[in-house]
Amino acid sequence: MELDEMKSLWADLSLQVEKQDKIQKELLMEITKKKFRSKLNAIRIPEIIGSLFCVGYAMYLLSHFSDFELWYNQIFALISIFILLALPTASLSAINGMRNLKVESESPSKILEEFLLSKQRFLKVQRYSIVLGGILMLALISPIAELNGSIEKISNPIFWLFYLIIGPVFMYILSKWAYKKYKGTIDSSEKMLQELE
Amino acid sequence: MSKEEAFVNLIHQNQGLIYKIATIYAKEKAEQDDLYQEIVYQTWKSFDHFKKASKPSTWLYRVGMNTAITHLNKSKKQLSMLPFDQVTIQFTESNDSEKEEKIQLLYTQIRKLNLLDRGIIFLFLEEKTYEEIAEISGISVSNVGTRMSRIRQKLKSEMNPKSTTDGTR
């Protein structure tokens, strides 16, 4: 099929499309308003819940910071607080980068470039989040045990033997999975970016 | 005329255009409906820009293409289509089955192109000049020419594999 034939086919299609019944005018505004509400709920609620959970936990650790008698628990608590605050901040700013693209004023080539770059940034944040989540899992155990008064449990060497074997294995599997999951997407984004040049 | 009325009129007059964008960017029916609704939504969200736009027709093409690029790239699994039975884009198919087959083949081949090239061939088929395509898509006129010849080759080889391998024109 030559381009001229495609053009004539497309012209026929355009005519055909114009003849079809259109969505009623009254319904168009209704769709738009419902879409607006559903998007707010779909995007913001999980983000807000996740962020509140992290910030709440960080606040809990901060408010009990003076209760830590063991020096290493103070360090672990600080690491945990840092991760709990850094994770939602990085994640939210990466999501906002993708969401705040100006579809109304930028050109498609610019939008595509910006979108691919922010998507790569988002995926990288996700990848680091998994590793940081694993570190958080390890760092949080001891301070929480001290706050709960169950320090004897974690003083048991067998606990740490299991934890230090299972923990790194779990983290390794998780990171490997995340790397695999995101690598393909990042690679295809890079390829698309190269094609734009 | 109120803002809502002006918006509804714009969408009503351009439903065919939005439908065609949704169809070349999305394959599955549910995805197409979702994209259709998303373009309508994004148009409303940025409707104040439309009134300031020097070329309203260019603006709508841009919003449609930009929405398709960003929306479909986010996640193919996260459809947020609203359950409006009446909103399902149900454009009847042509009675001419041979023509219908060719149209479907054309859509399939266009969807194989990358996101920007899909928009470029779409604008070309919409009878836009290279200058207009360059203005809407944000690339240079010479780049449009280069991409068009690449797209032409690609579509030709995909749609007429035999003639390409035989070297016939």
Side-chain angles (χ1 to χ4, degrees), chain A residues 67-87:
Chain A
D67 298 343
F68 293 122
E69 289 173 5
L70 301 166
W71 63 269
Y72 55 83
N73 275 347
Q74 289 178 353
I75 293 172
F76 283 146
L78 280 176
I79 293 170
S80 302
I81 290 166
F82 171 75
I83 294 174
L84 284 166
L85 295 178
L87 274 184

Side-chain angles (χ1 to χ4, degrees), chain A residues 1-7 9-14 16-18 20-39 42 98-99 101-112 115-116 119 192 195-197, chain B residues 4 7-9 11-12 15-16 19-20 24 34 36 38 40-42 44 46 49 59 62 65-66 69-70 73-74 80 82 86-87 91-94 99 102-103 106-107 114-116 122 124-126 136-139 147 152 155-156 159-160:
Chain A
M1 199 189 294
E2 294 293 335
L3 276 181
D4 286 341
E5 196 187 344
M6 286 182 207
K7 255 187 169 175
L9 206 59
W10 195 262
D12 285 348
L13 172 79
S14 298
Q16 198 182 315
V17 162
E18 286 305 318
Q20 305 299 320
D21 287 338
K22 291 182 174 177
I23 297 166
Q24 290 171 353
K25 283 188 177 182
E26 301 74 38
L27 210 58
L28 280 171
M29 211 56 227
E30 203 184 327
I31 302 168
T32 310
K33 286 176 179 169
K34 286 208 175 177
K35 186 89 181 171
F36 183 72
R37 280 196 294 271
S38 78
K39 280 185 88 77
M98 277 204 299
R99 201 190 300 157
L101 295 172
K102 292 177 178 155
V103 291
E104 73 285 354
S105 52
E106 298 281 14
S107 65
S109 64
K110 184 86 185 147
I111 282 284
L112 187 57
F115 188 82
L116 292 171
K119 188 178 180 183
M192 281 169 84
E195 281 177 1
L196 281 176
E197 284 166 7
Chain B
E4 283 194 10
F7 164 74
V8 167
N9 281 337
I11 297 295
H12 204 244
Q15 284 191 42
Y19 162 77
K20 285 185 275 182
I24 62 157
D34 189 45
Y36 186 96
E38 185 68 22
V40 172
Y41 163 74
Q42 288 295 342
W44 168 249
S46 48
H49 285 262
W59 183 84
R62 271 192 172 183
M65 286 166 61
N66 284 343
I69 288 168
T70 55
N73 242 324
K74 271 177 198 159
S80 54
L82 297 169
Q86 305 94 317
V87 178
F91 289 95
T92 51
E93 293 178 351
S94 161
K99 192 182 274 180
K102 279 187 174 177
I103 287 176
L106 182 60
Y107 275 138
N114 71 40
L115 291 170
L116 192 60
F122 164 66
F124 175 79
L125 294 172
E126 287 280 297
I136 295 169
S137 59
I139 57 175
R147 280 174 181 271
R152 185 178 286 142
L155 288 178
K156 204 172 171 182
M159 294 176 97
N160 309 304

Side-chain angles (χ1 to χ4, degrees), chain B:
Chain B
M1 193 190 285
S2 72
K3 183 183 166 184
E4 283 194 10
E5 281 171 344
F7 164 74
V8 167
N9 281 337
L10 174 77
I11 297 295
H12 204 244
Q13 284 159 15
N14 291 284
Q15 284 191 42
L17 168 71
I18 301 173
Y19 162 77
K20 285 185 275 182
I21 294 178
T23 316
I24 62 157
Y25 277 98
K27 188 182 172 193
E28 304 297 329
K29 187 79 185 70
E31 274 183 341
Q32 289 170 3
D33 287 352
D34 189 45
L35 180 56
Y36 186 96
Q37 290 183 11
E38 185 68 22
I39 294 172
V40 172
Y41 163 74
Q42 288 295 342
T43 308
W44 168 249
K45 219 177 112 187
S46 48
F47 195 58
D48 289 336
H49 285 262
F50 167 72
K51 288 188 264 182
K52 293 176 205 155
S54 54
K55 286 186 182 171
S57 58
T58 302
W59 183 84
L60 195 59
Y61 276 107
R62 271 192 172 183
V63 172
M65 286 166 61
N66 284 343
T67 305
I69 288 168
T70 55
H71 184 65
L72 293 176
N73 242 324
K74 271 177 198 159
S75 172
K76 284 170 186 162
K77 290 169 191 161
Q78 291 175 356
L79 295 183
S80 54
M81 186 182 57
L82 297 169
F84 278 95
D85 291 340
Q86 305 94 317
V87 178
T88 299
I89 324 160
Q90 199 57 66
F91 289 95
T92 51
E93 293 178 351
S94 161
N95 293 329
D96 185 341
S97 61
E98 195 192 341
K99 192 182 274 180
E100 185 55 40
E101 209 174 290
K102 279 187 174 177
I103 287 176
Q104 289 311 320
L105 178 66
L106 182 60
Y107 275 138
T108 308
Q109 297 311 324
I110 291 176
R111 284 191 211 110
K112 284 184 185 169
L113 299 170
N114 71 40
L115 291 170
L116 192 60
D117 287 350
R118 256 185 258 185
I120 289 170
I121 188 71
F122 164 66
L123 294 169
F124 175 79
L125 294 172
E126 287 280 297
E127 301 282 350
K128 301 286 175 199
T129 63
Y130 278 18
E131 284 76 19
E132 286 170 314
I133 297 173
E135 194 194 345
I136 295 169
S137 59
I139 57 175
S140 66
V141 177
S142 61
N143 198 351
V144 172
T146 314
R147 280 174 181 271
M148 270 309 298
S149 72
R150 215 161 49 195
I151 294 168
R152 185 178 286 142
Q153 283 301 318
K154 205 168 181 178
L155 288 178
K156 204 172 171 182
S157 65
E158 294 276 354
M159 294 176 97
N160 309 304
K162 206 174 168 216
S163 70
T164 316
T165 46
D166 291 348
T168 46
R169 303 246 174 237

Side-chain angles (χ1 to χ4, degrees), chain A residues 114-189:
Chain A
E114 285 179 7
F115 188 82
L116 292 171
L117 288 171
S118 55
K119 188 178 180 183
Q120 285 185 351
R121 205 160 42 234
F122 174 72
L123 291 175
K124 278 174 188 162
V125 167
Q126 294 286 304
R127 213 156 65 178
Y128 291 129
S129 296
I130 289 172
V131 177
L132 284 175
I135 295 171
L136 180 68
M137 194 183 80
L138 290 172
L140 210 53
I141 286 275
S142 186
I144 292 296
E146 189 181 344
L147 287 179
N148 291 342
S150 50
I151 200 87
E152 298 81 28
K153 271 187 197 167
I154 66 158
S155 304
N156 188 340
I158 296 171
F159 170 83
W160 285 107
L161 188 72
F162 276 105
Y163 203 76
L164 289 177
I165 291 171
I166 294 168
V169 169
F170 178 71
M171 266 184 68
Y172 174 78
I173 294 168
L174 206 64
S175 316
K176 192 101 179 158
W177 170 78
Y179 183 76
K180 230 177 163 179
K181 185 169 181 268
Y182 296 127
K183 194 180 178 299
T185 318
I186 289 178
D187 285 352
S188 71
S189 300

